[in-house]
Amino acid sequence: MCSLKLEIVKSLENLSKNNWKKFRMALVDRRGDRRVGLSKVEDKDICDVVEVLVSTFTLNGTPAVTCELLESIDCFNEANELKDRIAELFPNSSTGKNTAVAATAAGTAGAAGVTPHTKEEHFVDKHRLELTRRVREVYLILDFLLDNNVIQREIYDKISNKPGSMPSRMEKIYTALNSNSNINAKEIFFQSLKKYVPGLVDELEHSVVTSKQPSFDDAQEFEEHFVDKHKLELIERVCNIKKILDVLQKKEVIQNEIYEEIYHTQPNQEKMRKIYRLALKSGKTAKDIFYECLEKYEPHLVADLERSE
């Protein structure tokens, strides 16, 4: 018969020698109203440490604390696997519930430097605009997300290999996060930011909010859209207009009548002028779709224009 203790022991047995040492250090350094002294874990084996966890945080609270400590030392795979196993085998355990809530119940508020983001807007959403503009360690973050199964190799290659600026790559990371079913995706992304841009994270966490901060979408209203900013260049240089028209029609940005009118117009520059005049007048959504077409069918042109910014 399986038990909570046994599942936790099995999970910790998968740690490397170095990570096992870091796990015990994180437990000793952990903040909260229930502390564990160094003497209780120093030179102790896994079974002994699990007994210490249970005696300190109760049997039902130990899985949540264990997962939190694993995440604090960047062992997200082990934490997620343990959560899945506990939730499946012991649905009434605190780990089957929200991890941050369970950790608080076990006396772990603020533990291991992990900031709960359950009741308020998540840090990565709250500061999306600043992070998109200022983060330059995109490739390190992509490696981190890939290693922790937040993104798959296909998405990794698409973001890292496609021409474009760092802000455009950060936007693609956000798109991947929002389409990810893993409830820990944003938290893992946050951990990558703490690891590779700690100064920026610290600055944003301690920034004083004196009024309602604009959301990313609000900020976009005040920032000139890429397709407007580079209108003249795009009119002159876009070549794959037929493919772009096909997508605009498929996504119902334009109807058949307008499609035919633009398609039979010559030369290409006049086609593009009509796209601006007839297709993009509906607003930001149409412009976003048009921009996605440009990224797909005119990637080198987009990269060239983004570099010019």
Side-chain angles (χ1 to χ4, degrees), residues 196-213:
Y196 296 118
V197 286
L200 177 57
V201 170
D202 185 66
E203 176 189 334
L204 295 176
E205 282 186 324
H206 293 87
S207 60
V208 178
V209 180
T210 56
S211 61
K212 181 182 180 295
Q213 296 298 304

Side-chain angles (χ1 to χ4, degrees), residues 23 47 51-52 54 63 88 105 143-144 148 169 212 230 237 252 256 259 272 304:
F23 180 88
C47 292
E51 289 294 342
V52 171
V54 171
E88 179 183 355
D143 289 340
F144 192 93
N148 288 285
R169 287 188 170 91
K212 181 182 180 295
H230 300 289
R237 298 173 61 183
E252 299 183 348
N256 291 342
Y259 177 96
M272 285 294 296
D304 184 36

Side-chain angles (χ1 to χ4, degrees), residues 5-20:
K5 285 185 184 179
L6 184 58
E7 291 303 319
I8 295 169
V9 168
K10 288 179 181 178
S11 177
L12 296 179
E13 283 177 339
N14 292 327
L15 296 179
S16 66
K17 184 177 180 179
N18 187 46
N19 281 338
W20 171 236

Side-chain angles (χ1 to χ4, degrees), residues 140-162:
L140 294 173
I141 290 171
L142 283 171
D143 289 340
F144 192 93
L145 297 179
L146 180 66
D147 291 342
N148 288 285
N149 297 321
V150 174
I151 59 174
Q152 302 303 313
R153 172 61 65 176
E154 180 182 359
I155 300 297
Y156 175 94
D157 291 338
K158 182 178 180 181
I159 297 175
S160 60
N161 295 335
K162 196 168 186 178

Side-chain angles (χ1 to χ4, degrees), residues 210-250:
T210 56
S211 61
K212 181 182 180 295
Q213 296 298 304
S215 67
F216 181 81
D217 291 333
D218 292 334
Q220 289 291 76
E221 294 295 325
F222 300 98
E223 187 172 342
E224 189 177 16
H225 200 289
F226 177 91
V227 303
D228 294 322
K229 188 185 300 185
H230 300 289
K231 179 177 178 179
L232 295 179
E233 285 287 332
L234 292 171
I235 287 175
E236 289 296 321
R237 298 173 61 183
V238 170
C239 297
N240 294 303
I241 298 177
K242 171 66 166 60
K243 294 178 179 178
I244 292 173
L245 285 173
D246 289 341
V247 174
L248 295 179
Q249 183 187 41
K250 182 178 181 180

